[in-house]
Amino acid sequence: MSIWVTVAQGATALNVLLLAGLGYVWGRNYLKFRSKHTVGLFVFAIFLLAQNALTLYYYLIDPDLSAWYASAVPQIVWQAMMLLAVLQFIGLLFLSWTAWD
């Protein structure tokens, strides 16, 4: 397994953690303020969390797809997937900083 695979999996796992924290904050804020803005952010976090959790499941747990990802996916695809996961991580990290501040 190459470094691209490890970085993509790690960034996806970190995205799941950041989105769980953001969902908690935005859900709590919705319960407190009852505004459209906070419910929109909460729904955004839930859908993006589901996408990242499903991707992580396919990378690591699913017996068919994890074997396929580990052996048949070309390096250029892993590089692209790693880049997308890392860019998403940077964006979520910035959102987390603004949400907790």
Side-chain angles (χ1 to χ4, degrees), residues 4-5 8 59 69 73-83:
W4 307 115
V5 176
Y59 283 165
Y69 274 119
V73 175
Q75 287 291 339
I76 188 72
V77 174
W78 274 115
Q79 290 172 355
M81 292 166 62
M82 183 275 310
L83 181 63

Side-chain angles (χ1 to χ4, degrees), residues 23-97:
Y24 170 76
V25 169
W26 290 333
R28 186 187 62 193
N29 287 346
Y30 172 70
L31 292 176
K32 186 175 182 179
F33 300 113
R34 301 281 181 187
S35 72
K36 285 183 182 177
H37 180 74
T38 56
V39 77
L41 290 171
F42 179 69
V43 170
F44 169 77
I46 295 301
F47 280 109
L48 205 55
L49 176 64
Q51 183 258 324
N52 276 278
L54 189 62
T55 301
L56 195 61
Y57 170 78
Y58 288 151
Y59 283 165
L60 300 175
I61 299 171
D62 186 83
D64 296 326
L65 288 178
S66 63
W68 180 74
Y69 274 119
S71 61
V73 175
Q75 287 291 339
I76 188 72
V77 174
W78 274 115
Q79 290 172 355
M81 292 166 62
M82 183 275 310
L83 181 63
L84 292 173
V86 168
L87 289 174
Q88 190 177 75
F89 171 73
I90 293 168
L92 290 173
L93 195 61
F94 185 75
L95 268 177
S96 297
W97 174 70

